[in-house]
Structures are given as C-alpha cells and as structure tokens.
Amino acid sequence: MSAPPKDPAQAHVQLTGVTKRYGGVTALDNVDFSCELGSVHAVLGENGAGKSTLIKIMSGVVQPDEGEIRLDGRLASFSHPAAANAQGIVCIFQELSLLPDLSVADNISISDPPRRFGLIDAKAQRRRAEELLARIGCEDLNPMSRVRDLPLSRRQMVEIAKALAKNPNVLILDEATSALTAADVDTVFEILRRLRDDGISILTISHRMHEIEAIADKCSVFRNGKHIETFQQGARSEGEIVQMMIGREITAHFPPKPPPPDSAEPMLELKKYSWEDRLKSIDLTVGAGEIVGLGGLDGQGQKELLLGLFGVLKGTSGQVIVQGNEVDINSPQDAKKAGVDLALIPEDRKTEGLMLPMSIADNLTIASLKRLSRGIFVDADAMTAAIEDGIQRMQIKVGSSADAVSTLSGGNQQKVVIAKWLMTEPKIVLLNDPTRGIDVGTKQEIYRLLRSLAETGASIVYYSTDYEELIGCCDRVAVMYDGEIVRELQGDEINERNIIASALKMDEAAQ
Amino acid sequence: MNDLRVRLSQNAALLTAIVVFILFYVFYNMNHPRGFSVAVLIQNSNEVFTLAMVAMAQTVPVLMGGLDLSVGAIMTLVNTIASHLLNGSPMQIAFGMVVSLAAGAACGFVNGCIVVYGRIQPIIATLATGAIFLGLALFLRPSPGGNVDDDLSWAATNDLYEIAATYGFAQNGEAGWFQPISWIPVPLLLLVLVAVLVWLPFARSVTGRTVYAVGSGEGAAYMSGLSIDRAKIAAFTLGGFFAGIGGLYLTLQTSSGNADIPQAGAYTLNSIAAVVIGGTSLLGGVGTAIGSIFGALILRTISFNFRIFEIDPLMQPLFEGTVLLAAVSLGAFRVLRVKNTLELFR
Amino acid sequence: MTTSAPEPATSRLKISEDNKPIVMSAGFIVVILAVGTMYTLYTQGTATLLSPEYLLQQLQVGAFLGIVAAGMMLVILLGHIDLSIPWTIAAGAMMATTVGGPMAIPVGLGVGLLVGLVNGLGVAYLRIPSMIFTLGVNAVMRGLMVAHTGGFAPQTAATDLMQYLAVGKILGIPVALLVWAVVSMGVMLLLQRTAVGKSIYAIGNKEAAAYLAGVPTKWVIVSAFCLCGMLAGLSGTLLAGYSTKAYQGMGDAYLLPAIAAVVIGGTHILGGRGRYLGTLIGVILIVLLNSVLSIMQMPESGRQIIYGTVIIVMLLVYGRGRKVTS
C-alpha cells in the first residue's frame, strides 16, 4: 500500500466484500474485485452470474448493500452515475445512450458543452470532438454528422469518444462489441489497446471467447454472484474457463423427461428461415409432444426467431411448415388461426403480455374473444366458465377475477399470460424467457405445465436465459450464435458444459 | 467541402422549403401586374408576419415531441390586450408592448407548468388553456375594436422610409446613407431580427439543446443528466412569446383587437402545417424555427397565387387542409420500413 | 375451488378508481343545481332549474352533445382523439339537408362514417398521430363544405323526419332524448358485451399486448373512428332538424365540450380506462353547467374560461392517483 498511487501494478479500483441483493435474489455475494490502470480486464460468466451488477455498482447506477469501494486506496461511494464520472469511472452501457437527432459533436459534449457568453460554443465543441475522435483513430468521422445517419459501428465509436470526453481513468464496456461486425471489432480493439497504453484501466464484459483472447490482459470469472477466479489471460485453457463458469447448484426440480419418441411427426418445420441480419438461414424441426429449447447467449436471435414465427416481423424469408402445410404468418392474428394454432408467451409480461390496469378476467379472455362470442355479443356464461377454467388450470391465486391484474404477484401475472393462451388451445407454444423474475414455486409449476402440455401432443419452443431450465426441461436444445443455430444438443448431450461451450462458439476440441 | 455536404444533407428539408418558396414567390410576382415591386413586397410581408410568428411558436413544443393547440389562442389574447394598450404617450405605448409580449410568454409558461407539474398531456392541456385564453380574449374584446396609435401602426406595416418619416430621423428618411435600406419592409426586418436575436441564441443555449435532446429521446436525455423539466417549461414559454409577437403585430396591422375564435383555430392549424412543411419532425428532435418561417411563407404564397388567379378564396380552407394532410402523410411512410411491428407501438 | 387469497378487499371500503370520477362529477352536478337554484330563488324567486319540464328541455339540447361524446369516448378509450368533430357535424347536417327526402338521414350518417373511415385509416395504417391527422381532416371537411355551400348558410331545409327526431315528443319525452338513450344503450353494449368493445379497452391500455394477443388492432381502430364519425354525423343531422337548417360552424361548439364530458366522466385521456356511465354524467354536468351559466347570463368569455378550467382542474384531481403507476 506504500506504492505511489499511479503505479500501474497497483489496484486502482478495489471492491471488498461487496454484496447486492434484489428482493430475495443475491446478485453479488461478498465479492472482492480489483482492476489496475493500464490493463484490459475481461469479466466472464453466464447469464445472471453478476457481471452486470458488478459494473452497475462500479459506475454508480446501483449502490451495494454491503462492502466498500476504494479508489487509489481511498474509500469512495457513488450515489449517481455522475458521481462515478467525476471520479473518473465511465461506463458505456449495452444500450446506446446517444441522441440520434443531434450531431456527433453535440453528443460528445452533451453533459457539459463548452460555453461562451452563456451559449454553446460550437467551434470549441467541434474542436473537442475532433480531438477525441482523432484520439480513437476516427479522424474521418465528421463531427457535424447526425448520429442517426451513422452505421452502428461508428455510433459505438462516438460512444467511446463521448466517454473519453469525461476523462476517465476507468472505462467500462458492457458488451460494447455485441452489435459490431468482425472488422469493426478489430478497430475498437485497436482503440482500446491505445487507451490502455495511455494508462487507462479498461473493464470489458464480453461473451465472445476469441475476442477476450484478442484483447484481455486479465480475466475474471463470475458464477452465481461470486467471483470465482482472476487469472492472466492465457493462463487457463478454454476448457478450464468453462469448468469455472459451470457448476451452479441445481435449485429447481424438473418433471421427469419421457424417453425420446422413435418418430414424432413434425409439428413445426423451419427451412432457411431468415430475417434481416438477425436470423440466418435457420433450419429447425419441432416434433409433436416435444419441448425444444433455444439456448445461447442473450441476443443471438432467439427472440427474433419467436417473434418472426408469430408474425410480428416483416420481411422474413424461408419456409415455415406447420402441421404439414406451408403457412404464411403475417400477424399474431394469422398465428392463432385454426390450422396454425400458435401461441406466444412474450418476453415482457408488463408491456407485451398484459394490460396491467385491466381485470384478470379481461386479460384472460382477450385472445379468445372470438371463440367466446355468439354473434356479435360475448357469451357471458361461456366467458365465466372459461375464466373459471383458466384460473383453475393454472392455479392462479386471485381474490376476484374482476381485480386488476396489476394486483397479482409476478408469478401469478405470468400464469395469467399463459392461461390466456391455453384458452386458445394452441398446438405450438412459443415461450420467450417466461420465468424471468418469478419465484421458484411458480417456476416449477410452469415446468410441470409445459411437460403436461407436451404430453397432450403440443409442441413447445422454449427460449430461456437460464441454462438450468434448458437442461431440466427440454428434450432438445438448439444453441444459437449470431443469428444461426450452431449446435443441436439431444439427450445426454444437454449439459451445462456443452451449452456454454456452444454458446461461446468454442471449438469442439476445446471442450 | 465535406462539411458543406453534411450540412446540405442535414438541412435538405429546410432547403427544399426555401427553394419551393422562391419558386412560388417568383411565379407569383411574374403573374402580378405590379410584380417585383416594393409595394407588393410590403403588402406580402405584412400578410406573412403573424403566421410566421405563430409557426415559430408551434415549432418549439413540436421539437420536444409535443404539440401546442393554444398558439392561436395566445396570439388572439395578446391581440386583444395590445388593442387596449397601444396608445398614449411613447412611454405608455412601449409599456403596452412589453406587457403584451410578457402576457404571451406568461401564457406559454402556464402551459409549460401544467404539462410538467400537472403531468397532463400537452395536447389536452393546451386545448383547455386555449379555451381559457380565448375566454379572456373575449372578455377583453367582446366585439372587435380598439384604439391603436396610428403612427406606430403605419410605421410598423410599411418600409423603413416611413418609420424615418413618421418619427423624424435620418432627415425624415431622406438622408443619403439611408437610401439603400429605406425600401426594406418593417415586418421583414422584424422577422429577421426575431429569428437572429431570439431563435438562434435559444437554439445554441443549453436549454435549447435540451429541447432537441428531449424530442430525440427523452430517456437518453435523462441519462445524460439534462434538466428536462426546465427545458419543457422554457419551450412552452418561448412558444408563448413568439405567439405574443404575432398577436402584437396583428394588432398593429389591423389597428384593432378581435377575439375571433375561428381565426385562432385557423392560425393554430396553419402553424402545424407550416411546421411540417418547414421540415420539422412531428416526432421531435429534428427541425428549426427557420424552417417553419419558410413553411409559413409557402402557405401564404399559395394564397397569394389564389388571389392572382382569382381562384375562389372559398377553396382556401380545403387547400390548407389538403396540404397539411399531404405533408404529414408523406412523413408517415417510414411506417412501411419498420420491420418489427412491435416497434410501431413504442 | 380457487384458492382465493384471504387478503381483505380494500376496494370495498373506498370508491374504486374507475368510479371516483363518476361520484365526483355527480356531486358536482348537485353543486351546480344548488348554486343555480339559489341564484334563481334570489333573483326570480323560482326554482326553475328543478322543474321537470326545464330539465327535460335541457337534456333534449344536451342530447346532441351526448351523441357526439359517445363517439368521442370510443376514440379516446383507444388513446386517440378526434378533432374533426366540428366539421363532421356540419358536413353531416349540410349533406343531409342538401339531399333531403327519405335519404337525408342515411346520407348524414354516411358522411360521418366516411370521415371516420378516413381518420381511422390515417391513424391505424399510416400511424399519424390522431390529433394531427383529424385536425387536417377537419380542415379538409371545412374546405369541402365551404366550397359546397359557397360559404353561406345553405338554403336547403331539414326534412320533417329530421325535425321530428330533434324536437318531437313521445308521451312528453323529447324524441332527441330517446335517440340519445338508444345510442347510449348501443355504446354501453358495445363496450361491455362485444369483442370489439373489449378490444378497444385492450388497445387503449397496451396496444402491443393487444396486438400480440391476436386482436385485430387496425380493424378495431378503424371501426371506432367510423362509429365516432357516424355519431357526429347523426348529431349534425339532428342539429339541423333542431334549427330546421344547417349552417356554417354549427359543430364548432361541440368539440371542446365533448372532450370535456368524456374526460370529466373519468375516461383516461391516454386511453384504456373509463366507463360510459361517466361520459353520460359528464355530458349532463356540462349541459347543466351551461344552463346555469346562461341563466346567470354569463357571456361566452366566461364560459370558455370555465370550460377550460373545469377540464384542467378535473384532470389534475383525477391525475393524483395515477402518479403511482406511471
């Protein structure tokens, strides 16, 4: 501790015993972590390992429940992102924070524009933008361009320039390369290396193993909110890294899987299914009575695949064959038609699944209104019966079905969403991460329900960010990477090691 | 060179509006028996000024992603206030002008406060305050009329020569140095002054930048630590101030005050049309009040042409409505490019 | 059978969120009647406001507003607004009197329907903000009507049937009131008992969720605008019958009160919530407010100010409870 504060070998940021809980979930559990100036430090871990919480704490977005943060050995606390910025810690979040209609120069100086006579000094602002852009090797980018007109990769550069405008000592990148092409990634890395050589500490979260190999000096692996190990890049093999990432204790109990059927008739077939650059020539077959999981890191096209099937995306190409007939699904209305019989449990129940202020009854019946109408009027008796049935089938805990659905707990709300779709008697159920933010008890009810649905011959396509669920629930898992299915796992192949390895697109040899 | 290209492409909508205006206006003058004369220019500038101000007034809330349905009402209210105050000694007149403009700004300030602190949608809030402003205007002027200083009225609606002649400077307008500029119509000069002295500084202030930022993405603006509430109130206040200038000028132009409710509605409608034609996005974030001035110029030039070709003026409302619908519909074709239907609902 | 939570039903103790505006508006109606009656007792020594004939007569006039407000409510429930009401009313009236004969009323309704269709298509398919699109349509309709009539009050007169519907009486009850009652029944049934009605609420609450539930959102939006336009056309037709002819600007006085009635009745201006009973009470409130103001010989200026203030104050009061969720 007697070393001078700017000694590159000394920890610049030091977290000790940091714990963060969200409700009953412990996102970070007594974590010690540090990063040094002049190095690139990669943080690895599967979904929910605590990486995001770590950087949120470091950048002042959330405050730790326990533990302390030291900067150059001094105790520090950040009540707000601006406070962290003032101390030289700047974070570039996954979601771009740029204002699309303003110019590059405007955006770079948005928080603290240079002023002259009280007005923004456009010339000084421009000079500042030019300097910063030159520093990251983007001299060719015109500071007057509107951000909206720039390709994604250039916007990412502007984000970095904007972050540099705050003179950071620590630059945190949360999956900053996930939207970039390989060539762009190289450019960003070149910039990061230069910044590192300038003495900046760079903390990066990335899921792409080869990128970590290319850029990181140090790696830290997180699992279950715990800091497992930090090591020099190259000191561990890929296989060892995967070993560190897996090994979560199994907390949920899953219904037993039936033995794989000899020949399930295909219920849903996709051939060369593509959309924009997010889905690339996907071939997938789902048999009747089968639960197929979609695996992979978040944002590899799983959501788009489900939305596309449900008719939400325009301009998809390739064939969709449902129950033996090629179908053309252009809207959710088409998707729930007889003969297609699709249902989608959407990602965000609050904005896509439910009308929160409306009653439980109204929410349950909204997808089946036609079925429950006689002539132009709704059949009140049929409706009451259907509501009763839905509540009972899903064991939804309600006071009165006339209560607003917002009064229910998260788990019961999700049950309403599922019950709504079961009422349409679907043959193919698409689920987009349905157990997120739900208590364990409800999760298990959902697992049982999925299995019992499958046993009645329905097909289920199940995207989950939780590998444990994929392993416990699915008869087959298709792992996606960058819009493609990179591997299909079956039977005993479905284990954490295989899923993570294919999600990171590691060579089979490395496993 | 690169800069020039960037600027051109970013201001394509504004440039289009300017070009369209010039074409229409040259065409008009070519067909006017006294075309390209100062007399015609003065008359036209008079007819344009008020709408240009109301259009500028509408621009500020629109840039923020809102809409102000009370701009016409504020203009009318200020018109009736000014019709009571613009007479007497020069000091009294000056006082009356200040009060009128302050009243406009105050109306805008009230709008802003209701929107920000009352959390009421701008449209419904300004619809309601618009009724209140019109009520006040009717209270001040139950029937058209008023007493406006003739000299001021004359001077404000003619060229600079008449100002000098009326108020006796520059040797009553005969001074040699004065000749090159003596022909300039006063309203045209005022328009430029308002744009340069009020709008441009605002657009370059941090508050003005925040208005653009809020219209471009309120979430990102918040994350950047900008003071959003203050910008919203400022936007409505500035809008009220512009509408106030419009109302004040209308008083000088007509030498009277008139709480004309249909006229207020027509100005509000035309202000929206002018904003859209001037290249400001109704979704906010993109555009300038300068564009709206040209939008107003285009709308008015169209009616000048109506007059020249003796097209029934009764066709004018139809034309105005059609222009507005066409302008907003053209902008709506982005809908066809959206590939993820869920994005439409955000 | 359902494991109902033993949580005490707090909703029974207080007035539910949806009914609060209705109760408050009803209370305000009593206040209006009380103040008005005190005024008449003091100035004329009579309680004019409380006589059944007077009330029926006021409600007859209120029927025109009530019919417009019923349509406006459908659109506001969707989270939209229809600012083309004024000239839809006038166009309905003018075309009905122009055509005359047995086709007068169908034409009046048809004109309204057509305007609503254009509004609905612009809003649902082009996704242009409704307040701007309908404002433009209002201007176009005004233009068309001014061009059609030459800017003067049309010389054509309302048909006998139109006049009967507007001013006739059955057993002492004004026919216009009965028309309003029929419309009200229809809208109430639509909102509570049909798939379209439930979809309207769903879209107003969360359009994305409704869309993902397979609700034909575009079709529902277009239908609601069509109904709104048609009811405005009906109101215009009746209004022409009431004054025996159509005239310029006859619908101008209906836009703001219609929106005010809907909003005062507790319908959320952003859509999704509100009961038709509230709109009904909102209309009665406005009509009685109007009567009292005219008994007091309140000039137009005062009325405008009071309208605007009442809308803002009511919204501020209702809005309090909303902050928690938003």
Side-chain angles (χ1 to χ4, degrees):
Chain A
M1 290 307 269
S2 58
K6 290 292 170 189
D7 177 358
Q10 202 223 327
H12 179 63
V13 185
Q14 172 93 45
L15 275 67
T16 318
V18 167
T19 298
K20 177 72 192 174
R21 294 181 202 90
Y22 293 104
V25 182
T26 305
L28 274 188
D29 187 2
N30 194 19
V31 163
D32 297 336
F33 181 81
S34 63
C35 53
E36 293 102 39
L37 293 175
S39 85
V40 178
H41 196 144
V43 179
L44 289 139
E46 60 160 307
N47 301 320
K51 305 171 308 247
S52 299
T53 312
L54 177 75
I55 61 169
K56 277 184 186 159
I57 284 176
M58 288 182 68
S59 56
V61 176
V62 296
Q63 281 70 49
D65 297 326
E66 287 162 32
E68 60 183 30
I69 308 172
R70 284 180 183 275
L71 257 181
D72 281 335
R74 280 173 288 108
L75 207 58
S77 78
F78 313 127
S79 55
H80 191 267
N85 289 348
Q87 300 279 346
I89 301 180
V90 176
C91 183
I92 300 174
F93 288 101
Q94 216 168 341
E95 282 160 35
L96 296 178
S97 68
L98 298 176
L99 292 155
D101 297 312
L102 300 190
S103 74
V104 170
D106 287 343
N107 266 290
I108 287 176
S109 303
I110 189 79
S111 300
D112 184 26
R115 267 168 274 192
R116 205 161 159 242
F117 308 124
L119 299 183
I120 293 169
D121 184 344
K123 276 197 191 119
Q125 184 180 274
R126 180 178 176 148
R127 244 178 286 125
R128 187 167 169 189
E130 273 169 353
E131 278 163 26
L132 288 164
L133 289 171
R135 188 165 166 205
I136 58 170
C138 293
E139 294 90 346
D140 57 320
L141 215 167
N142 189 325
M144 304 310 290
S145 317
R146 221 171 250 164
V147 167
R148 189 185 289 286
D149 302 332
L150 300 177
L152 208 53
S153 58
R154 293 335 278 290
R155 291 189 205 178
Q156 196 64 60
M157 305 297 178
V158 177
E159 281 278 9
I160 295 175
K162 181 181 165 186
L164 290 181
K166 295 170 184 164
N167 286 321
N169 294 321
V170 181
L171 185 62
I172 306 175
L173 295 102
D174 184 5
E175 296 193 53
T177 54
S178 60
L180 302 185
T181 62
D184 294 329
V185 169
D186 288 343
T187 326
V188 172
F189 284 179
E190 198 48 53
I191 294 164
L192 292 184
R193 282 190 202 102
R194 216 179 302 164
L195 293 174
R196 174 191 63 191
D197 297 342
D198 289 350
I200 290 180
S201 166
I202 293 165
L203 190 63
T204 164
I205 290 185
S206 174
H207 288 308
R208 302 190 190 177
M209 211 51 214
H210 62 274
E211 290 184 3
I212 290 164
E213 278 165 19
I215 183 78
D217 301 314
K218 268 188 166 187
C219 297
S220 293
V221 176
F222 276 69
R223 182 178 76 215
N224 263 352
K226 292 202 177 79
H227 181 184
I228 302 300
E229 190 180 330
T230 295
F231 49 88
Q232 291 294 323
Q233 156 62 26
R236 301 284 185 180
S237 71
E238 286 190 354
E240 285 173 310
I241 293 173
V242 170
Q243 195 60 50
M244 279 185 240
M245 287 167 69
I246 65 178
R248 277 177 60 178
E249 8 173 344
I250 301 291
T251 48
H253 298 283
F254 297 95
K257 293 185 201 176
D262 301 332
S263 59
E265 66 178 289
M267 183 74 92
L268 171 69
E269 282 176 87
L270 297 180
K271 289 182 181 162
K272 295 203 180 311
Y273 193 69
S274 308
W275 180 69
E276 303 277 282
D277 57 353
R278 305 303 303 277
L279 295 175
K280 295 167 188 164
S281 196
I282 289 188
D283 293 312
L284 183 69
T285 306
V286 185
E290 199 180 18
I291 302 181
V292 171
L294 295 178
L297 299 162
D298 209 8
Q300 303 300 315
Q302 299 97 332
K303 290 169 190 169
E304 286 80 1
L305 178 58
L306 298 181
L307 289 177
L309 278 174
F310 207 57
V312 174
L313 305 182
K314 303 282 167 248
T316 54
S317 62
Q319 276 181 300
V320 180
I321 299 160
V322 174
Q323 301 174 45
N325 305 312
E326 185 169 353
V327 291
D328 190 15
I329 304 168
N330 288 312
S331 67
Q333 271 164 273
D334 289 353
K336 71 175 187 184
K337 268 184 197 153
V340 183
D341 301 308
L342 276 164
L344 171 73
I345 314 301
E347 177 185 13
D348 184 352
R349 66 176 169 271
K350 289 201 161 73
T351 62
E352 296 170 349
L354 295 169
M355 286 80 69
L356 282 178
M358 289 178 80
S359 71
I360 296 160
D362 285 339
N363 272 286
L364 280 171
T365 51
I366 190 69
S368 323
L369 287 172
K370 217 186 236 172
R371 189 182 292 257
L372 295 172
S373 294
R374 220 186 295 152
I376 66 161
F377 289 112
V378 173
D379 182 337
D381 294 340
M383 195 164 241
T384 317
I387 292 165
E388 272 298 306
D389 186 53
I391 290 176
Q392 212 161 322
R393 186 166 178 193
M394 287 303 299
Q395 299 282 307
I396 307 171
K397 295 183 183 61
V398 296
S400 149
S401 64
D403 288 348
V405 80
S406 56
T407 60
L408 298 179
S409 69
N412 278 304
Q413 288 184 1
Q414 189 66 295
K415 285 185 186 175
V416 171
V417 179
I418 297 174
K420 163 175 91 177
W421 280 107
L422 293 187
M423 211 179 274
T424 67
E425 291 165 29
K427 296 228 172 62
I428 303 168
V429 183
L430 314 173
L431 297 105
N432 190 345
D433 212 2
T435 56
R436 181 184 290 189
I438 283 182
D439 59 291
V440 178
T442 309
K443 279 186 186 179
Q444 296 188 6
E445 285 180 58
I446 291 177
Y447 304 146
R448 279 200 296 275
L449 175 90
L450 293 182
R451 185 49 70 188
S452 69
L453 269 179
E455 275 160 6
T456 61
S459 297
I460 290 165
V461 182
Y462 185 12
Y463 169 52
S464 173
T465 47
D466 186 346
Y467 298 145
E468 189 184 323
E469 290 184 348
L470 295 177
I471 297 163
C473 273
C474 299
D475 301 317
R476 200 142 53 84
V477 174
V479 181
M480 293 186 69
Y481 183 87
D482 200 14
E484 288 173 290
I485 292 179
V486 287
R487 197 165 169 204
E488 280 190 34
L489 304 166
Q490 215 155 0
D492 292 340
E493 291 173 342
I494 308 177
N495 57 43
E496 208 170 352
R497 179 183 193 85
N498 279 338
I499 293 179
I500 292 185
S502 5
L504 297 172
K505 210 181 180 185
M506 288 179 179
D507 301 331
E508 306 234 350
Q511 294 162 28
Chain B
M1 238 7 243
N2 190 13
D3 265 20
L4 186 64
R5 212 167 39 228
V6 168
R7 278 174 194 275
L8 285 179
S9 75
Q10 282 175 3
N11 294 306
L14 172 63
L15 294 174
T16 314
I18 294 175
V19 170
V20 168
F21 162 68
I22 292 174
L23 289 179
F24 279 19
Y25 197 62
V26 168
F27 179 76
Y28 163 72
N29 270 295
M30 279 163 43
N31 289 288
H32 194 289
R34 288 177 295 118
F36 300 108
S37 71
V38 172
V40 172
L41 184 65
I42 289 175
Q43 190 197 354
N44 293 162
S45 333
N46 270 316
E47 286 171 312
V48 147
F49 185 83
T50 305
L51 180 61
M53 281 302 126
V54 178
M56 286 178 88
Q58 186 68 265
T59 315
V60 203
V62 168
L63 279 175
M64 219 172 48
L67 199 68
D68 187 346
L69 294 183
S70 72
V71 285
I74 296 179
M75 177 204 79
T76 306
L77 174 58
V78 172
N79 170 229
T80 57
I81 292 174
S83 72
H84 285 284
L85 298 178
L86 294 187
N87 52 55
S89 71
M91 276 309 287
Q92 283 172 319
I93 293 177
F95 174 74
M97 290 166 86
V98 170
V99 169
S100 304
L101 295 180
C107 291
F109 182 74
V110 169
N111 282 337
C113 287
I114 292 176
V115 167
V116 169
Y117 298 115
R119 302 191 188 192
I120 300 179
Q121 288 296 102
I123 322 128
I124 189 80
T126 53
L127 197 67
T129 56
I132 297 177
F133 299 150
L134 283 177
L136 292 173
L138 273 169
F139 175 73
L140 291 171
R141 278 275 165 234
S143 59
N147 178 10
V148 176
D149 187 79
D150 288 336
D151 283 353
L152 182 62
S153 183
W154 172 256
T157 52
N158 278 285
D159 54 21
L160 286 181
Y161 175 84
E162 294 296 342
I163 288 200
T166 310
Y167 293 106
F169 65 86
Q171 299 164 15
N172 288 336
E174 303 293 347
W177 61 267
F178 192 65
Q179 296 316 308
I181 56 166
S182 69
W183 61 274
I184 298 177
V186 176
L188 203 59
L189 184 66
L190 286 175
L191 192 56
V192 173
L193 287 179
V194 171
V196 172
L197 296 183
V198 183
W199 169 252
L200 290 184
F202 176 76
R204 285 170 182 225
S205 69
V206 174
T207 306
R209 164 80 44 86
T210 307
V211 167
Y212 278 90
V214 171
S216 190
E218 193 162 342
Y222 177 77
M223 287 301 287
S224 303
L226 303 176
S227 42
I228 291 173
D229 287 356
R230 196 173 67 191
K232 282 185 175 173
I233 294 178
F236 279 102
T237 308
L238 183 65
F241 178 71
F242 283 140
I245 300 179
L248 182 61
Y249 190 81
L250 190 66
T251 318
L252 295 172
Q253 191 192 346
T254 59
S255 290
S256 68
N258 180 6
D260 183 343
I261 294 181
Q263 177 184 274
Y267 267 97
T268 302
L269 174 71
N270 280 326
S271 74
I272 298 172
V275 165
V276 174
I277 296 170
T280 297
S281 159
L282 286 174
L283 302 170
V286 184
T288 80
I290 311 295
S292 307
I293 294 178
F294 281 95
L297 292 176
I298 290 174
L299 282 178
R300 280 293 187 250
T301 310
I302 289 171
S303 41
F304 298 159
N305 279 307
F306 266 67
R307 215 156 51 200
I308 286 294
F309 293 100
E310 290 177 356
I311 299 171
D312 194 339
L314 293 175
M315 296 301 287
Q316 196 149 340
L318 176 59
F319 195 82
E320 287 168 0
T322 313
V323 168
L324 174 61
L325 279 189
V328 291
S329 303
L330 277 180
F333 283 100
R334 71 180 175 94
V335 170
L336 303 177
R337 290 202 303 270
V338 171
K339 293 290 187 199
N340 182 344
T341 311
L342 286 180
E343 283 172 16
L344 290 178
F345 304 122
R346 294 207 176 110
Chain C
M1 290 286 205
T2 55
T3 47
S4 50
E7 187 186 327
T10 45
S11 57
R12 244 166 268 158
L13 297 176
K14 61 171 203 235
I15 305 157
S16 84
E17 191 68 19
D18 275 1
N19 290 331
K20 187 172 122 193
I22 299 179
V23 174
M24 286 177 57
S25 313
F28 197 45
I29 289 179
V30 175
V31 173
I32 293 172
L33 284 177
V35 170
T37 305
M38 280 193 309
Y39 179 86
T40 53
L41 279 176
Y42 180 72
T43 54
Q44 303 156 18
T46 54
T48 327
L49 267 175
L50 299 181
S51 80
E53 299 85 48
Y54 182 81
L55 285 176
L56 272 183
Q57 187 205 333
Q58 291 306 308
L59 287 178
Q60 178 188 357
V61 179
F64 310 124
L65 176 62
I67 293 168
V68 174
M72 183 65 95
M73 181 185 181
L74 299 178
V75 172
I76 292 183
L77 274 178
L78 284 172
H80 290 290
I81 202 159
D82 187 350
L83 300 182
S84 72
I85 289 292
W87 284 91
T88 310
I89 292 176
M94 287 172 178
M95 295 320 289
T97 56
T98 304
V99 173
M103 284 308 286
I105 293 176
V107 164
L109 294 179
V111 169
L113 186 78
L114 207 64
V115 178
L117 182 67
V118 174
N119 285 332
L121 292 177
V123 172
Y125 285 85
L126 297 179
R127 294 200 76 81
I128 299 170
S130 53
M131 70 234 164
I132 290 161
F133 195 81
T134 54
L135 202 60
V137 168
N138 187 51
V140 169
M141 289 315 293
R142 170 167 164 241
L144 286 175
M145 286 306 113
V146 169
H148 170 69
T149 57
F152 304 105
Q155 292 308 302
T156 49
T159 62
D160 291 345
L161 181 58
M162 283 161 70
Q163 296 195 27
Y164 174 73
L165 287 178
V167 296
K169 285 190 176 169
I170 298 176
L171 301 172
I173 299 170
V175 179
L177 204 53
L178 296 175
V179 176
W180 183 19
V182 169
V183 167
S184 295
M185 286 301 293
V187 170
M188 233 184 296
L189 279 177
L190 176 86
L191 287 178
Q192 287 173 9
R193 297 294 308 276
T194 69
V196 173
K198 302 219 172 251
S199 305
I200 287 177
Y201 281 102
I203 293 170
N205 264 299
K206 247 326 159 233
E207 192 172 1
Y211 169 78
L212 283 178
V215 170
T217 49
K218 287 177 181 170
W219 189 85
V220 172
I221 293 173
V222 173
S223 313
F225 272 98
C226 283
L227 277 173
C228 179
M230 198 173 78
L231 288 176
L234 172 63
S235 183
T237 315
L238 294 181
L239 208 54
Y242 185 75
S243 37
T244 72
K245 60 184 174 54
Y247 51 95
Q248 302 291 330
M250 61 193 291
D252 290 353
Y254 286 85
L255 176 66
L256 196 55
I259 297 173
V262 173
V263 170
I264 287 170
T267 299
H268 211 305
I269 190 70
L270 295 178
R273 280 153 99 181
R275 298 180 54 196
Y276 183 72
L277 182 63
T279 301
L280 215 53
I281 291 187
V283 172
I284 294 172
L285 188 154
I286 295 231
V287 168
L288 290 180
L289 185 64
N290 235 336
S291 325
V292 171
L293 293 179
S294 65
I295 287 177
M296 292 179 168
Q297 292 168 344
M298 178 70 73
E300 178 65 19
S301 59
R303 287 185 200 195
Q304 292 272 351
I305 294 172
I306 289 170
Y307 275 153
T309 314
V310 166
I311 298 179
I312 287 179
V313 169
M314 289 280 196
L315 280 178
L316 286 177
V317 173
Y318 300 163
R320 282 273 148 77
R322 207 170 354 113
K323 276 183 192 170
V324 186
T325 49
S326 63

